[in-house]
Amino acid sequence: MTAPGRRSSTFTRLLRHGFTEASAAERLLDGPELAPIRNDPVLLEALGATADPDLALRGLVRMLEAQPSPTGRRELLDTLIAAKPLRDRLLGVLGASAALGDHLARHSGDWHALVTYEPRDLHPGLEEFERGLAEAGDPVSLRVAYRRCLLSIAARDVCGTTGVAETAAELADLATATLRAALRIACAAAPEDAALCRLAVIAMGKCGGHELNYVSDVDVIFVGEAVEGGDEQAALRAATRLASHMMRICSETTVEGSIWPVDANLRPEGRNGPLVRTLSSHVAYYQRWAKTWEFQALLKARPVAGDAELGARYVAALEPLVWQAAERENFVADVQKMRRRVVANIPVAEIERELKLGPGGLRDVEFAVQLLQLVHGRTDASLRSGTTLDALLALAAGGYVGRADAVQLGEAYRFLRLLEHRIQLFRLRRTHLLPEDEADLRRLGRSMGLRADPVAELTREWKRHTGVVRRLHEKLFYRPLLDAVAQLAPGEARLSPEAARERLVALGYADPAAALRHLEALASGVTRKAAIQRTLLPVLLGWFADSADPDAGLLNFRKVSDALGKTPWYLRLLRDEGAAAENLARVLSAGRLAPDLLMRAPEAVALLGDGGGDGGGLEPRGRAQLEQEILAAVGRAESAEQGVTAARGVRRRELFRTAAADIVGSYGTEAQPAEADQGALVDLVGGAVSDLTAATLAGTLRAVVRGGWGDTLPTRFTIIGVGRFGGHEPGYGSDADVLFVHEPREGVDEREAAQAANRVVAEMRRLLQIPSADPPLLVDADLRPEGKSGPLVRTLTSYEAYYRRWSLVWESQALLRAEPVAGDEDLGRRFMELIDPLRYPRGGLGEDAVREIRRLKARMEAERLPRGTDPKLHTKLGPGGLSDVEWTVQLLQMRHGAEVAGLRTTRTREALAAARGAGLVSEEDAATLDEAWVLATRVRNAVMLVRGRAGDTFPSETRELAAVGRYLGYGPGHVGDMLDAYRRTARLARGVVEELFYGT
């Protein structure tokens, strides 16, 4: 029995040496297995140096218990104490890997594999691994031999004899030797199949790149052909049986576990394609059908087993196709889209712990390096390495990546790979998740040499390295473009002009020479402004490249920067506010309208920041705020023209704010992907533009009245919004559809009142259309009684007389969207009381009126559609377009508005929702009409944003059409999908219209 004093002393020493279960450890040290060496201080020191001393001690005791005789146990203990290399390796493995501890307990003599001291043991090659597996004649013995070889790799790894890159290469060599042994066993089991065919095994992925993990699928592709004079189909069947058997040998699980799964899904057509193809079949597939990612995967292709000559021919045949991949349309976008898809598929609960696929993880490094290899490896053979770190060094040497960036990225990659190795080594399970358990984190931290506070240090280092990868992944593709146009220190490598042009073309820039000139103008020099630009541009270039027109984005950025270059807050805003730079990049590359608005007053860039007070941010301002600002500006103006100029300036700024909010909401940002409700974006634009138009008209009316009559006009005057304006549904380029109403003040002659009202209208229209830096606002009064032939302004009494005697059904329909927007509020209210019985007739519409509305609609469809236009793609007049939906809803309003209060609204979507709620339209039909109306409106808004002028059809120019697609959420190469979706949505809506409107 141990004395209390000694027990206390031992307990303290155990804690000091890193044991967390000191009581259990003390019992094991006092047990019979370790009796001969329990007092040897070397043992405790060695255990304390391991990743998990408790685990190492338990593993050692199990090994001793498993020895077949006292002699074997004594040999192990003597060697353990006398031979430091064995002690460090064995205890290091036992403290880092419970799985290898289990193996050593099952195979009590395998510890001898760690006793070899020849120099070759430090860096075993493929031949040595093949010798280690040579005696394996069946799957079980192969698994045992594989684990024995793995034991020696892990021992060198945990002791620091090999670095992470060397360990990964050794694991790949061991995998190669294992594939060869498995194929040998398969051929021995079926010699008749082996005699019929030649079979080559091509390693892909990490095995092909000499950078394998401890536990990973081994990706392969099989190539087969008949022996000379043989039957090709019979040979392929035989090769398929051999390949399948080889895969089972490696993948099946027994008491010894499995080796690893062999995954052949990178083959042509994936799991749906034949397991084995001939070389000519492979070449034909890659020439005709392969996607960009398949060429990216071939970067790491390497023959590893089977017929070496056939494998060499496979690589030689496909290598030229790999280095042509960057010339494919949408090449960079395809690679980036694949990366985004990988991230999107990570479960939300795991994304912050995902070492491989998460943001700032291993895949970010690999994708960035591979992208650069494919772009520049066409002309620079030094970049054609399947190993990530070797390729990164070559990219730095060639000037394609900055040297400092390459060093940082390499360090981060090594840290992440080492962490991945240590995580997998513990249980020999395929995982890339950082554990959450503190004991696991402690063991990991200690295994990586972090001893002071392993958990905190590991967490800090993990976050630091992933942060480095995130930052460098963003700029790696773009930073060297700046170096290509900057003045570098002597001896610094940089992209050649040709390489810079290649990279810009790959990014989608149509005019790389002009892009390089813009970069040089922005980033050259030693000023603080140039230094900040060099910080911003790498990320901005990436965002520009994510658009349909990168050239326009970069050109517009240069224009804005030239205009604001001396403004101290501009570059500081982009550098310091997370949202501003990305919002600006999206806005400048999304089309013509928003950049045109911005160029006329570049200081509006401030709106793109994170918001706050003083009207900052992209949230549209309400009508009351806008009207207050405009009326205050008008009050300070010295003339009507100055007042309206101020009002138009506010309108320009707010149009930009709305357009920017729409673009950012549609495109999304890296922090907030585009997931906005499409209907909400339509309502945002329509409401914001409607409020802005109303406030502008109110300010213009105030300015004109003050300029001509002082505070009081001889007649009361109000403006009624109609059409899309009254319905809160205008687009960016919509006119202001209005009616003008006046009422002479008491004692004022009617002729004098009418003259004053007409002068007000004429002056308002003139001032709102004067050519200037601000976009004009066209005031359209064509929906007035008698149309263009009638007087511009009428008294309320005149309106009442006209509507009582002459009004046609279409005029009542037009009044459905009438709403006072400016001027005398009481007069506006009385006008609404006048027209309500017309637009919502008591008892609904008579059959004659319904027939007349249907006749007018059919006539409009036949006569007003422009010649040469595809009706199915016309958003306004085409089948299922805006007119179809709006006339259907308006017919319901006129028929049922008197009884259903919810239908008494000027807004189409609100009225449709009310009709659904009242049971007038089914849930399904209402959803179909709403979707079609929203989509058609979005298309019209997109056309205006992209082209800078209104249009009712999709653009015919390729880049403009792609930009519309991008706004609607369709990535590069999916314009056809967008058009098909529009036709499908419109066709379904037309079916509902045929039933609800035409009654067919």
Side-chain angles (χ1 to χ4, degrees):
M1 184 173 179
T2 306
R6 178 180 175 277
R7 178 179 180 83
S8 175
S9 173
T10 304
F11 190 87
T12 303
R13 287 169 58 212
L14 290 171
L15 291 175
R16 190 169 63 249
H17 280 93
F19 287 85
T20 58
E21 302 170 17
S23 297
E26 192 173 15
R27 287 194 297 273
L28 291 175
L29 286 169
D30 284 341
E33 293 80 8
L34 292 175
I37 61 170
R38 70 161 55 101
N39 295 320
D40 195 317
V42 170
L43 176 62
L44 204 57
E45 291 289 340
L47 286 168
T50 66
D52 187 340
D54 300 278
L55 179 65
L57 178 58
R58 290 196 300 271
L60 178 59
V61 171
R62 290 179 64 204
M63 278 184 62
L64 289 166
E65 291 173 341
Q67 295 305 308
S69 67
T71 303
R73 188 177 305 130
R74 186 71 215 185
E75 180 191 4
L76 173 57
L77 288 173
D78 289 345
T79 311
L80 187 70
I81 296 301
K84 185 179 188 306
L86 171 70
R87 185 168 61 248
D88 291 343
R89 293 175 182 184
L90 178 59
L91 295 182
V93 167
L94 291 175
S97 177
L100 289 178
D102 292 342
H103 174 84
L104 286 166
R106 282 197 307 273
H107 301 279
S108 58
D110 276 8
W111 63 270
H112 289 93
L114 305 179
V115 182
T116 309
Y117 304 125
E118 292 106 303
R120 70 179 186 182
D121 180 51
L122 299 180
H123 302 286
L126 176 59
E127 291 181 3
E128 184 166 337
F129 288 129
E130 287 193 291
R131 282 195 296 273
L133 303 178
E135 300 302 319
D138 61 82
V140 173
S141 62
L142 179 61
R143 291 184 183 90
V144 174
Y146 172 82
R147 286 290 174 94
R148 190 180 304 121
C149 293
L150 193 66
L151 181 65
S152 65
I153 293 176
R156 287 185 293 276
D157 177 16
V158 297
C159 292
T161 305
T162 52
V164 65
E166 291 80 5
T167 299
E170 288 182 11
L171 289 166
D173 283 341
L174 176 56
T176 297
T178 305
L179 289 169
R180 291 179 181 180
L183 184 56
R184 171 172 49 79
I185 295 171
C187 289
E192 64 285 357
D193 284 341
L196 286 174
C197 66
R198 302 172 68 190
L199 176 65
V201 183
I202 311 298
M204 305 287 283
K206 291 188 179 299
C207 183
H210 271 107
E211 48 190 17
L212 197 61
N213 301 332
Y214 276 102
V215 188
S216 175
D217 291 356
V218 171
D219 297 307
V220 299
I221 286 176
F222 295 106
V223 189
E225 64 178 33
V227 297
E228 188 173 353
D231 177 79
E232 183 178 282
Q233 292 305 313
L236 286 176
R237 288 193 292 272
T240 299
R241 288 191 291 271
L242 290 175
S244 299
H245 191 186
M246 188 200 82
M247 293 172 69
R248 286 196 301 276
I249 289 170
C250 296
S251 305
E252 285 179 349
T253 302
T254 68
V255 67
E256 298 294 340
S258 66
I259 300 176
W260 18 247
V262 176
D263 188 343
N265 288 336
L266 290 179
R267 66 187 185 269
E269 300 179 78
R271 65 185 60 195
N272 297 319
L275 184 63
V276 184
R277 288 177 183 258
T278 62
L279 176 56
S280 60
S281 175
H282 276 282
V283 172
Y285 173 83
Y286 284 106
Q287 286 177 334
R288 296 187 61 187
W289 309 111
K291 297 180 174 62
T292 299
W293 70 264
E294 294 178 278
F295 294 106
Q296 186 179 354
L298 285 172
L299 268 173
K300 296 181 181 294
R302 178 173 65 94
V304 291
D307 192 294
E309 189 272 338
L310 178 57
R313 283 196 286 124
Y314 173 89
V315 171
L318 292 181
E319 188 176 34
L321 300 179
V322 172
W323 302 113
Q324 295 167 12
E327 299 170 8
R328 295 162 65 93
E329 186 178 1
N330 301 319
F331 162 71
V332 173
D334 284 347
V335 175
Q336 293 172 337
K337 182 168 63 177
M338 181 180 174
R339 175 71 190 112
R340 286 193 292 267
R341 188 162 60 243
V342 168
V343 174
N345 288 332
I346 302 172
V348 175
E350 297 180 358
I351 194 166
E352 291 301 322
R353 299 189 294 124
E354 175 56 68
L355 189 69
K356 177 181 177 182
L357 304 178
L362 290 162
R363 190 57 61 86
D364 271 354
V365 181
E366 293 162 354
F367 263 61
V369 169
Q370 291 165 19
L371 192 58
L372 293 173
Q373 283 182 276
L374 289 169
V375 170
H376 299 296
R378 292 175 292 172
T379 55
D380 189 343
S382 70
L383 306 180
R384 299 178 183 182
S385 170
T387 306
T388 301
L389 289 172
D390 291 348
L392 184 57
L393 287 174
L395 286 165
Y400 305 101
V401 174
R403 290 177 179 174
D405 289 347
V407 169
Q408 284 187 289
L409 201 64
E411 288 176 351
Y413 186 71
R414 287 184 179 88
F415 175 86
L416 296 172
R417 287 304 306 275
L418 181 60
L419 183 55
E420 180 184 46
H421 281 181
R422 296 288 192 266
I423 292 171
Q424 293 185 349
L425 183 59
F426 179 53
R427 294 286 187 195
L428 286 182
R429 291 177 181 167
R430 184 173 182 265
T431 179
H432 310 286
L433 288 178
L434 195 68
E436 296 177 293
D437 182 75
E438 187 167 342
D440 289 332
L441 291 172
R442 180 176 183 274
R443 184 190 65 256
L444 277 176
R446 286 175 57 89
S447 77
M448 299 182 72
L450 307 172
R451 298 300 174 95
D453 186 350
V455 175
E457 289 180 79
L458 178 65
T459 304
R460 184 167 59 250
E461 286 296 288
W462 149 255
K463 290 183 177 178
R464 181 174 73 84
H465 284 295
T466 54
V468 166
V469 173
R470 287 190 193 193
R471 178 174 58 82
L472 293 180
H473 179 257
E474 289 174 345
K475 80 173 197 177
L476 196 61
F477 207 72
Y478 311 103
R479 171 71 66 186
L481 289 168
L482 304 188
D483 294 342
V485 298
Q487 299 298 315
L488 299 184
E492 282 287 306
R494 67 177 182 179
L495 286 180
S496 67
E498 183 57 37
R501 281 192 290 273
E502 283 183 358
R503 189 173 294 194
L504 286 163
V505 170
L507 285 165
Y509 286 83
D511 190 350
L516 285 172
R517 289 196 300 272
H518 299 326
L519 292 177
E520 185 172 11
L522 288 163
S524 292
V526 295
T527 63
R528 179 173 176 78
K529 169 186 166 186
I532 297 176
Q533 288 283 23
R534 286 193 291 272
T535 301
L536 293 168
L537 276 166
V539 182
L540 288 168
L541 284 169
W543 289 324
F544 294 148
D546 191 40
S547 74
D549 197 349
D551 298 83
L554 182 55
L555 172 61
N556 289 332
F557 180 68
R558 180 181 175 182
K559 289 179 179 178
V560 172
S561 295
D562 287 346
L564 294 174
K566 295 182 180 179
T567 308
W569 55 264
Y570 166 61
L571 291 176
R572 188 169 63 246
L573 171 79
L574 299 185
R575 182 193 63 194
D576 297 341
E577 290 203 23
E582 185 173 2
N583 289 346
L584 179 61
R586 300 300 184 198
V587 165
L588 294 181
S589 55
R592 296 179 183 175
L593 178 65
D596 285 349
L597 292 169
L598 182 59
M599 297 309 170
R600 295 172 183 179
E603 64 276 4
V605 165
L607 300 177
L608 300 170
D610 293 328
D614 301 324
L618 294 180
E619 185 71 28
R621 302 171 73 197
R623 179 171 168 181
Q625 279 182 293
L626 293 169
E627 195 166 310
Q628 182 180 21
E629 180 184 359
I630 289 175
L631 291 177
V634 167
R636 293 189 299 268
E638 296 181 358
S639 67
E641 188 163 328
Q642 287 181 0
V644 176
T645 297
R648 290 177 64 180
V650 173
R651 177 172 177 266
R652 178 205 59 237
R653 183 196 70 208
E654 295 303 321
L655 278 176
F656 173 75
R657 190 199 304 266
T658 302
D662 188 15
I663 291 167
V664 171
S666 299
Y667 277 56
T669 64
E670 291 183 354
Q672 185 66 47
E675 297 178 352
D677 173 30
Q678 304 300 300
L681 285 172
V682 164
D683 293 343
L684 177 145
V685 173
V689 174
S690 179
D691 286 346
L692 180 55
T693 301
T696 304
L697 289 175
T700 302
L701 176 60
R702 175 75 61 87
V704 169
V705 171
R706 284 184 69 233
W709 291 272
D711 292 332
T712 306
L713 192 67
T715 184
R716 293 183 176 84
F717 188 90
T718 195
I719 304 174
I720 307 296
V722 291
R724 296 197 177 281
F725 175 30
H728 295 255
E729 299 161 353
Y732 297 106
S734 296
D735 297 346
D737 292 315
V738 298
L739 302 175
F740 296 111
V741 187
H742 80 106
E743 184 178 66
R745 296 186 185 277
E746 187 174 348
V748 176
D749 179 71
E750 286 194 9
R751 180 177 296 181
E752 178 188 353
Q755 288 175 343
N758 278 285
R759 281 176 54 196
V760 167
V761 171
E763 186 66 359
M764 285 181 67
R765 298 177 80 178
R766 183 185 74 83
L767 292 175
L768 288 170
Q769 297 179 49
I770 291 177
S772 74
D774 302 314
L777 175 59
L778 302 179
V779 178
D780 187 341
D782 287 354
L783 290 177
R784 65 188 183 271
E786 301 178 78
K788 294 180 180 180
S789 304
L792 267 176
V793 190
R794 287 178 182 262
T795 63
L796 183 63
T797 303
S798 175
Y799 274 104
E800 191 275 332
Y802 176 86
Y803 287 137
R804 185 177 67 251
R805 298 182 60 190
W806 309 110
S807 177
L808 302 175
V809 68
W810 72 264
E811 292 177 299
S812 297
Q813 184 180 351
L815 292 172
L816 284 168
R817 295 203 279 194
E819 180 179 277
V821 294
D824 190 289
E825 293 182 4
D826 178 68
L827 182 59
R829 178 185 55 76
R830 287 187 284 130
F831 181 83
M832 302 308 291
E833 291 172 352
L834 166 67
I835 65 171
D836 272 353
L838 292 171
R839 53 185 183 171
Y840 310 124
R842 190 176 300 278
L845 285 180
E847 284 304 312
D848 289 344
V850 172
R851 279 195 297 272
E852 176 64 10
I853 289 175
R854 289 171 175 166
R855 186 187 68 80
L856 289 171
K857 177 72 167 66
R859 178 181 171 188
M860 183 178 70
E861 290 177 9
E863 296 179 358
R864 294 180 60 185
L865 197 69
R867 288 186 179 181
T869 299
D870 181 356
K872 294 179 181 178
L873 293 177
H874 198 281
T875 60
K876 183 177 180 180
L877 302 176
L882 294 170
S883 176
D884 265 4
V885 177
E886 289 165 0
W887 281 60
T888 300
V889 171
Q890 289 163 12
L891 182 59
L892 290 170
Q893 288 180 282
M894 296 182 74
R895 298 179 84 170
H896 304 284
E899 293 79 32
V900 180
L903 291 174
R904 296 195 287 273
T905 174
T906 63
R907 294 165 169 81
T908 300
R909 298 187 72 209
E910 280 189 10
L912 182 58
R916 182 194 63 215
L920 302 174
V921 181
S922 71
E923 193 88 24
E924 182 180 358
D925 286 350
T928 299
L929 293 178
D930 186 70
E931 181 183 3
W933 189 88
V934 166
L935 179 56
T937 304
R938 291 272 288 157
V939 172
R940 294 182 92 208
N941 286 346
V943 170
M944 185 65 188
L945 286 169
V946 169
R947 302 178 69 191
R949 60 182 188 275
D952 293 318
T953 61
F954 289 88
S956 55
E957 199 275 324
T958 303
R959 285 217 169 206
E960 291 180 345
L961 187 60
V964 169
R966 186 69 182 81
Y967 171 87
L968 293 175
Y970 292 88
H974 291 278
V975 164
D977 295 339
M978 170 183 68
L979 298 177
D980 288 344
Y982 180 85
R983 291 188 184 98
R984 180 172 60 254
T985 302
R987 183 178 67 250
L988 292 172
R990 179 64 180 194
V992 176
V993 171
E994 295 282 358
E995 180 181 349
L996 294 180
F997 183 82
Y998 288 109
T1000 59

